Amino acid sequence: MTLVYLIAGEASGDVLGARLMTALRARCPGLRFAGVGGARMAELGFESLFPMRELALMGLLEVLPNIRRLARRMDETVADIAARKPDVIVTIDSPGFCLRVAGRVRPLGIPLVHYVAPQHWGWRPGRVKKLAARVDRVLALLPFEPPWFEAHGIGVDFVGHPVLESGVDLGDAAAFRARHGVAADERLVMVMPGSRRTEVSRLLPIFGAALRLLPPGLRAVVPLAGPVEEVVRAGVADWLLAPILLQGVAEKADAFAACEAGLIKSGTSTLEAAVAGLPHLVAYKVNPVTAAIVRRLMQVRFISITNLLAEREVVPEFVQDACTPEILAQGLRALLDGGAMPTQRAWNKVRAGGADYAGNAASQRAGFAEVLARLQPQGLRPSEAAAEAVLRVMLQQVAEER
């Protein structure tokens, strides 16, 4: 039986892996799977080589203390691949771990597909040479990525962004409010601090402090991602008004429908909010040393995927020094009151009394529609397009062996 080896290193990759497994099985019911994955993949019978949460680290200073354990896990993964001799390897996002494994198993001659194109176009573009030497194919989520990677000699399939099949636009606001006993005069804000322990530990206190600066009657809704559930629960334990904690995709969709605004960490969550039509602001903060390094290497103007696709600041971004409770509270207040909020770039002028404002709820929703129209491959769901791309790589390998 054909063996597909999957490696996912964080919660979003686990979701991608589960959907890919489902789409592959629909086309080839006899496939077997092995590798590294999380809870969503486990629901489909996947047995992970070790707990995926051990790989969910972010930032230079966060990774360094765990470098020996990560090295051991990498050795285990490489040894497992060598022993199992899978027919294809699909590494899913998490390039720091996945592409190092890819480089080490490359001499085995196993076809290798990397799912989620690394953002080399955004920072440190010189890394693309190593990518070309380690993988046979890249599956891109964003429409502007294939030309960039193909220009560097890498075969790419645009498969569309998986957020399009997340169902977050199908929520029931009334059902959510009734289920959680939300009072008629109570307003809800979606708070999404991330899916990695390090970023949640850094951002959740800032987000909580921002909410405390807003008028009474405002309640947070916070999703619980598997690897960081304990961190989130501990982080909100002292909030004056206990937030609604979410579990499950359907619950999240209902929550998006019930919320009036969002305070969201940069990443896939911002696209989820766009699909759900939820006006929001983007915030992010990392260790100052990591931030200094990233600033020198970045090649793009924005950190939000929505803004990158729109090529303008549809959603206001508040990063590093602008990611403070006071600034975030002012941004949320403007969004909830129907007004516009300042962008980070305008913030110094705002405090001086003369900035242009942008990003109100209506303009955000118009921008969302524009962006989402660019994310859908023709005729297929993203997971189906990814599955067909993986199968093409496998068939090509069979043809070459014959």
Side-chain angles (χ1 to χ4, degrees):
M1 295 174 66
T2 300
L3 176 63
V4 178
Y5 202 95
L6 303 174
I7 305 175
E10 55 187 295
S12 58
D14 180 38
V15 172
L16 286 179
R19 291 181 184 151
L20 178 61
M21 287 174 64
T22 299
L24 284 169
R25 281 176 172 164
R27 287 154 175 77
C28 299
L31 290 178
R32 294 183 299 123
F33 298 93
V36 180
R40 295 289 296 276
M41 294 165 69
E43 291 172 0
L44 300 177
F46 187 91
E47 295 184 9
S48 184
L49 182 62
F50 53 79
M52 185 194 72
R53 64 177 178 272
E54 295 186 16
L55 304 182
L57 300 170
M58 181 69 174
L60 179 63
L61 297 188
E62 291 80 8
V63 170
L64 285 177
N66 297 282
I67 198 72
R68 290 186 178 179
R69 175 168 52 79
L70 289 171
R72 287 197 304 272
R73 291 309 195 191
M74 190 174 298
D75 290 342
E76 290 176 35
T77 306
V78 171
D80 193 49
I81 291 171
R84 291 179 179 272
K85 298 181 175 60
D87 296 275
V88 66
I89 301 168
V90 181
T91 54
I92 306 172
D93 209 357
S94 301
F97 183 85
C98 285
L99 295 181
R100 283 181 172 84
V101 170
R104 290 180 58 181
V105 301
R106 194 61 169 160
L108 299 177
I110 301 168
L112 202 148
V113 177
H114 187 68
Y115 192 179
V116 183
Q119 294 181 351
H120 294 340
W121 41 264
W123 70 300
R124 293 179 61 194
R127 295 174 297 164
V128 72
K129 294 180 181 178
K130 290 184 178 180
L131 179 67
R134 294 175 180 180
V135 306
D136 296 289
R137 200 83 184 165
V138 168
L139 308 186
L141 310 188
L142 305 175
F144 60 77
E145 292 176 324
W148 193 92
F149 283 97
E150 287 167 353
H152 290 84
I154 300 175
V156 184
D157 290 288
F158 170 57
V159 298
H161 203 286
V163 73
L164 295 173
E165 55 186 309
S166 64
V168 294
D169 56 332
L170 304 176
D172 186 329
F176 183 85
R177 295 180 71 93
R179 189 161 60 247
H180 292 280
V182 179
D185 60 347
E186 203 168 40
R187 307 178 77 181
L188 301 178
V189 172
M190 179 71 85
V191 175
M192 305 181 77
S195 60
R196 298 183 178 95
R197 289 175 179 269
T198 48
E199 62 193 11
V200 172
S201 298
R202 180 169 287 114
L203 292 174
L204 198 57
I206 299 172
F207 289 1
L211 294 175
R212 282 195 290 272
L213 297 174
L214 294 170
L218 190 67
R219 191 175 184 186
V221 179
V222 188
L224 293 174
V228 296
E229 179 173 342
E230 294 178 4
V231 182
V232 171
R233 289 187 183 279
V236 303
D238 63 346
W239 288 15
L240 294 178
L241 184 58
I244 300 170
L245 301 179
L246 305 180
Q247 289 182 311
V249 175
E251 183 81 335
K252 183 189 285 188
D254 288 348
F256 270 122
C259 287
E260 295 182 49
L263 176 54
I264 301 177
K265 186 227 68 165
S266 173
T268 304
S269 298
T270 62
L271 272 183
E272 285 186 315
V275 170
L278 179 70
H280 60 281
L281 54 132
V282 173
Y284 201 59
K285 192 168 193 173
V286 296
N287 181 284
V289 175
T290 301
I293 294 171
V294 171
R295 280 196 196 100
R296 296 184 62 183
L297 300 173
M298 279 188 66
Q299 305 288 312
V300 293
R301 294 175 55 205
F302 305 112
I303 64 168
S304 165
I305 299 175
T306 302
N307 292 339
L308 286 169
L309 288 166
E311 299 181 343
R312 68 180 191 279
E313 199 162 10
V314 171
V315 180
E317 300 180 355
F318 301 103
V319 182
Q320 290 305 106
D321 292 343
C323 184
T324 69
E326 295 76 16
I327 292 176
L328 297 180
Q330 289 193 43
L332 277 176
R333 189 180 294 112
L335 200 57
L336 288 163
D337 291 344
M341 72 187 77
T343 66
Q344 175 168 335
R345 292 171 181 79
W347 197 261
N348 289 334
K349 294 180 181 178
V350 169
R351 288 187 286 192
D356 293 329
Y357 281 74
N360 64 27
S363 68
Q364 283 198 26
R365 290 192 177 99
F368 296 160
E370 172 189 332
V371 165
L372 296 177
R374 303 178 183 177
L375 288 178
Q376 178 73 53
Q378 291 187 349
L380 292 172
R381 294 161 66 91
S383 60
E384 295 171 338
E388 295 200 356
V390 171
L391 291 173
R392 283 196 296 271
V393 170
M394 293 169 62
L395 290 172
Q396 182 179 352
Q397 178 72 5
V398 171
E400 291 175 356
E401 291 175 353
R402 289 178 178 176

